[in-house]
Amino acid sequence: MAKDVRVRFAPSPTGMLHIGGARTAIYNWAFARSQGGTFILRIEDTDPERSTEENVQIILRAMRWLGLDWDEGPEVGGDTGPYFQMERMQTYEAALEELKAKGAAYPCFCAKEQLEADRAAAEKADGGYAGYVGRCRALDAAEAARRIEAGEPHVWRLRVPERHAPIAFDDAVYGHMEFPADVMDDLILVRTDGSPTYNFACVCDDANMGITHVIRGDDHLSNTPRQILIYEALGYDVPTFAHLPMILGPDGKKLSKRHGATNVEEYRDRGYLADAMVNFLALLGWSLDGETTIIPRSQLAHDFSLARITKKDSIFDEKKLNWMDGVYIRELDAEQWLCEAGPWLAMAKVAGEKAPAGVTVTPTPTQEEAAQAASELRVPGAGVEEMTWQSALADVADRPAWYREICPLVIERMERFDELPAKLEYLFWGPNVRLDEKSQAKVLGKDGAASALAICRDVLADASVPWECEPLQERCRALGEEAGLKPRNLFQPLRVAVSGNMVSPPLFESIVLMDRADVLARIDAVKGML
Ligand code: GLU
């Protein structure tokens, strides 16, 4: 019978959870779920200088945001813990003792300077550098024991068997792989300070945690033959490996900060939905059938398979992510939408209330400026005075019915929540207007703009017309027609006067969300400029 699937995601808490790491986590999670297996989270914190508790928390938080629940690991525990490598030192010591007893590990006393000199000499010679020369390999056991006893600094190396056959394994992604064993030097297992190396700790943990499949980035491919040598030396079963191709930026180079955000939480802060993010990342190197792009989490958890991971590197295409996020946003009902949009609506309120008194004209951004603004990170609440921010949040919480009504105005055309503040701030201008320069010139500069505004103003001021979308719009349209104004020439000046821009969410639907007095004040102020 096949063993129950056990997989792990093993981040080093030396930084944030980045895009590549998140995809690795998603694949492990989805594979475990699709196989009815166990997903383990293990923190590889053996680098004391670079690992921090803060980074651990950031990684856990990002995992939770993505909805990647782990069955064993920090905070949830499990039978094969502890799940922090620093707490597993005894297991590495025990494994080293076993290797020593078998003669499969030996102490190496070569000083750093000596190793550097060896390397320099090898690099000059024909064959080039092929790793440790093996000087201490043949050291007499009694002498080695004496030197250890005398406190001489040393590391422990794996004694790679001589004339070992090529190291072969069948990678679930890359297929059959073979590495000649004679180029493997005697790798270090335990450092001078007694700490295990990544390769050693990783193998001990994967074996002790009963990991059946190691799914990780292909930057670890060169570690795999070395790890297999350690498995063999310890007599452990070798798991199945699945190495994941790289994620590249649009320019075909390895994804990095240059391409934009690489930290997963920045995507959360930009207002992407976790479900969209998981779907998008899952498709960077895997496909369901080569066609389907919208694959909800539940389907991923059901249908994920290692067989459909591609060997080809994939390109991180932010446009596709934006599109996909829009698709997921449209799946939300008004209640869920409000829940996600809440902080962004509060930002819209904060931004809107900053509008200066009366009418101000603001320069229209160029295409580059607009693109630049869209790529800027705007964490809701950042840079806002605490009291102002809290009161904006409280307003959203206190008037959910009103805020929920904004949803149908924008949901069809939005891709990200961080678009909302700029798009909706006009709802919060009160009697003031921020006029977009281009809209002003194009729409308000036309003949007839003043009479269009006058007609609409009369209707909006008429208390006998209910403050509702249909009656207001119909009444304006009818009067406009009488005056010989096409709907477009009637409504565009009104749109610019009310929202400041010739492109805005639906006009009358927005108007009825605002105070009559404010709307009239805006029209009057703009009319006064014509
Ligand atoms: N801690 C390693 C890393 O973050 C894990 C590699 C592995 O999955 O074996 O790259």
Side-chain angles (χ1 to χ4, degrees), residues 206-493:
D206 285 343
N208 290 328
M209 293 181 175
I211 300 302
T212 56
H213 297 74
V214 171
I215 305 169
R216 62 184 170 199
D218 68 3
D219 48 332
H220 286 288
L221 198 52
S222 61
N223 283 320
T224 301
R226 295 169 190 281
Q227 293 188 2
I228 290 176
L229 290 171
I230 303 175
Y231 278 101
E232 288 176 354
L234 284 164
Y236 294 151
D237 287 347
V238 179
T240 300
F241 291 95
H243 288 94
L244 309 177
M246 283 213 283
I247 302 177
L248 308 176
D251 57 359
K253 303 224 171 79
K254 191 173 173 348
L255 190 69
S256 75
K257 275 247 167 285
R258 276 180 305 117
H259 299 109
T262 51
N263 165 14
V264 168
E265 287 199 322
E266 261 186 66
Y267 288 86
R268 178 202 62 192
D269 293 344
R270 275 157 192 252
Y272 286 98
L273 290 174
D275 282 347
M277 205 66 204
V278 168
N279 186 157
F280 175 76
L281 291 177
L283 289 178
L284 292 180
W286 173 84
S287 78
L288 181 65
D289 51 15
E291 282 171 31
T292 315
T293 42
I294 299 300
I295 303 165
R297 177 191 299 277
S298 54
Q299 189 180 8
L300 185 65
H302 190 263
D303 293 340
F304 184 84
S305 70
L306 297 181
R308 292 208 59 93
I309 297 177
T310 59
K311 291 192 198 54
K312 241 181 59 204
D313 294 339
S314 40
I315 307 269
F316 188 99
D317 175 359
E318 199 167 303
K319 281 206 189 82
K320 182 171 170 189
L321 170 61
N322 288 340
W323 166 81
M324 196 174 276
D325 199 54
V327 173
Y328 274 87
I329 288 175
R330 280 185 280 291
E331 295 282 311
L332 302 175
D333 63 30
E335 201 53 53
Q336 294 165 321
W337 181 86
L338 181 60
C339 189
E340 297 285 346
W344 303 100
L345 296 170
M347 273 311 262
K349 180 173 158 71
V350 171
E353 287 175 351
K354 278 206 293 225
V359 183
T360 33
V361 179
T362 56
T364 306
T366 62
Q367 256 185 357
E368 291 86 70
E369 283 166 345
Q372 171 66 28
S375 70
E376 264 161 32
L377 179 59
R378 288 171 296 254
V379 184
V384 182
E385 204 254 323
E386 188 57 23
M387 283 249 296
T388 311
W389 179 235
Q390 289 308 327
S391 95
L393 285 174
D395 191 54
V396 180
D398 292 346
R399 300 192 297 140
W402 185 82
Y403 280 95
R404 217 180 287 123
E405 287 193 48
I406 299 174
C407 173
L409 271 55
V410 288
I411 194 166
E412 287 308 320
R413 296 185 63 179
M414 63 185 289
E415 291 190 326
R416 282 158 41 174
F417 283 100
D418 68 352
E419 298 162 10
L420 293 184
K423 234 181 211 171
L424 293 174
E425 66 163 83
Y426 70 95
L427 294 174
F428 304 92
W429 282 342
N432 310 312
V433 189
R434 271 182 169 150
L435 267 189
D436 163 62
E437 201 170 24
K438 204 161 145 195
S439 305
Q440 179 196 24
K442 247 184 122 171
V443 177
L444 299 181
K446 266 199 192 140
D447 288 347
S451 51
L453 285 179
I455 292 171
C456 296
R457 192 204 187 279
D458 283 346
V459 175
L460 294 166
D462 182 350
S464 72
V465 185
W467 194 247
E468 286 164 21
C469 194
E470 285 279 297
L472 289 171
Q473 183 164 347
E474 283 322 304
R475 187 86 193 112
C476 285
R477 192 194 301 275
L479 292 183
E481 240 167 56
E482 273 173 31
L485 279 171
K486 288 201 192 104
R488 186 179 166 75
N489 294 338
L490 177 69
F491 293 139
Q492 276 304 79

Side-chain angles (χ1 to χ4, degrees), residues 95-116:
L96 180 64
E97 287 310 314
E98 199 183 320
L99 292 177
K100 283 190 214 169
K102 287 179 176 169
Y106 65 88
C108 168
F109 302 92
C110 295
K112 211 167 117 218
E113 297 72 29
Q114 173 76 64
L115 296 173
E116 277 162 12

